[in-house]
Amino acid sequence: DPDDLITPNLVETCLAVMRRQDADLVMFKFDTISASGMPIVSHYSHNRYSAMQVLTPREAIKKQLKGQIGGYLWSFVTRTSVYRDGNISFPEGRVIEDPARICQIFGGTRRIVRLPAVLYHYRLHSGSLMSKPGLLADWKRATADRKQYVVENFPDLRAYARIQRFSPSNIDYESLRQNLLFALKLDTDSAERRATSRLERREARRTLREERKADKAISKAAAKEVRKLDEAARKAGKEL
């Protein structure tokens, strides 16, 4: 997306991994920033992994259908041959296009690598995708396209494709949470600062509790040692 930011080494890193792992597609993590560039705390399921993963097309598609890989085409770099050989094009006039073709892209690869590194900065603002009209209708069309591809090409995953509907079980709550700030015309920078302050206070309270707990443990250990010394002194006195 033109309003987002990438790290200076994104392309170089992905191409190096692509060559080293003989992969057709390299995926990476992302974080979220406000319109002014301030970091925004986010908890996307797409980013919930800590080590490099090497996946087959089927494994990647399954993770995508289960919501473990996001439907973001900007979250990976892939060979142009995947698009060309798969004759992949995108539906015109839709607000949402990525989920309609992402499984088809995965299916056209031989090997997919997921890097545990943040290489992309997704910017949230009043013009973000999730704040545009027509979202639900296009989301339904996209999931229908995805289901058709999966059923025809990976029939053993059809059960996962069939549950991809707009329901509480698979809503991207993190996207809705962040975009709700814009729908309500809230100041995301100040809202995020308040959230960060709350997190900092919570962390400070947790640290204080741990320190008090450690102090109590130390006090108990010291008292126990004193009792041992007293007992030893009493025994020594009796022996004398």
Side-chain angles (χ1 to χ4, degrees):
D1 291 356
D3 52 350
D4 298 338
L5 299 176
I6 64 173
T7 60
N9 63 336
L10 184 150
V11 175
E12 179 183 2
T13 299
C14 290
L15 291 180
V17 173
M18 196 175 288
R19 288 190 291 267
R20 187 164 59 249
Q21 296 290 334
D22 190 27
D24 292 323
L25 186 150
V26 177
M27 189 174 297
F28 39 82
K29 293 184 176 183
F30 67 93
D31 59 19
T32 314
I33 59 175
S34 68
S36 63
M38 285 191 61
I40 296 178
V41 177
S42 60
H43 307 283
Y44 288 90
S45 57
H46 177 91
N47 296 322
R48 294 174 189 165
Y49 63 102
S50 58
M52 188 178 73
Q53 299 178 359
V54 180
L55 307 174
T56 65
R58 182 188 179 280
E59 291 171 335
I61 290 173
K62 183 177 179 180
K63 284 181 177 291
Q64 208 288 310
L65 293 173
K66 294 174 67 177
Q68 297 170 353
I69 291 179
Y72 322 116
L73 296 190
W74 43 256
S75 67
F76 57 79
V77 172
T78 189
R79 300 180 187 274
T80 55
S81 59
V82 173
Y83 292 93
R84 183 177 59 249
D85 296 346
N87 194 27
I88 297 173
S89 60
F90 294 88
E92 297 182 2
R94 293 189 190 179
V95 177
I96 295 182
E97 299 176 328
D98 294 11
R101 296 293 182 265
I102 192 166
C103 285
Q104 187 177 353
I105 294 170
F106 290 171
T109 66
R110 295 171 298 109
R111 178 181 295 178
I112 294 172
V113 175
R114 299 182 79 192
L115 293 180
V118 175
L119 301 179
Y120 194 94
H121 310 297
Y122 176 63
R123 190 188 302 273
L124 277 172
H125 53 71
S126 58
S128 295
L129 173 64
M130 290 290 290
S131 63
K132 294 181 179 179
L135 174 67
L136 177 57
D138 281 354
W139 193 90
K140 288 181 176 180
R141 294 190 194 100
T143 54
D145 290 346
R146 179 172 53 186
K147 175 185 174 182
Q148 180 179 352
Y149 172 80
V150 171
V151 169
E152 292 177 357
N153 296 274
F154 295 87
D156 59 314
L157 298 178
R158 68 177 63 199
Y160 295 98
R162 286 172 178 167
I163 65 172
Q164 291 296 307
R165 61 186 185 278
F166 201 81
S167 70
S169 63
N170 58 24
I171 293 175
D172 186 347
Y173 286 103
E174 184 60 21
S175 293
L176 293 180
R177 182 190 73 82
Q178 294 191 340
N179 282 273
L180 182 61
L181 298 174
F182 297 104
L184 298 176
K185 302 185 184 303
L186 298 178
D187 180 353
T188 52
D189 287 348
S190 61
E192 198 57 41
R193 281 195 294 270
R194 290 194 297 271
T196 301
S197 296
R198 288 195 296 271
L199 289 173
E200 289 175 347
R201 291 195 297 270
R202 189 179 305 162
E203 181 65 20
R205 289 194 295 269
R206 186 184 67 80
T207 301
L208 181 60
R209 287 196 298 268
E210 290 179 352
E211 289 177 350
R212 288 176 175 173
K213 185 177 180 180
D215 289 343
K216 289 181 180 178
I218 292 172
S219 298
K220 288 181 180 179
K224 185 177 181 180
E225 189 63 27
V226 169
R227 287 195 297 271
K228 286 182 179 179
L229 292 174
D230 289 343
E231 182 65 23
R234 283 196 296 271
K235 288 182 178 178
K238 289 180 180 179
E239 291 174 359
L240 293 174

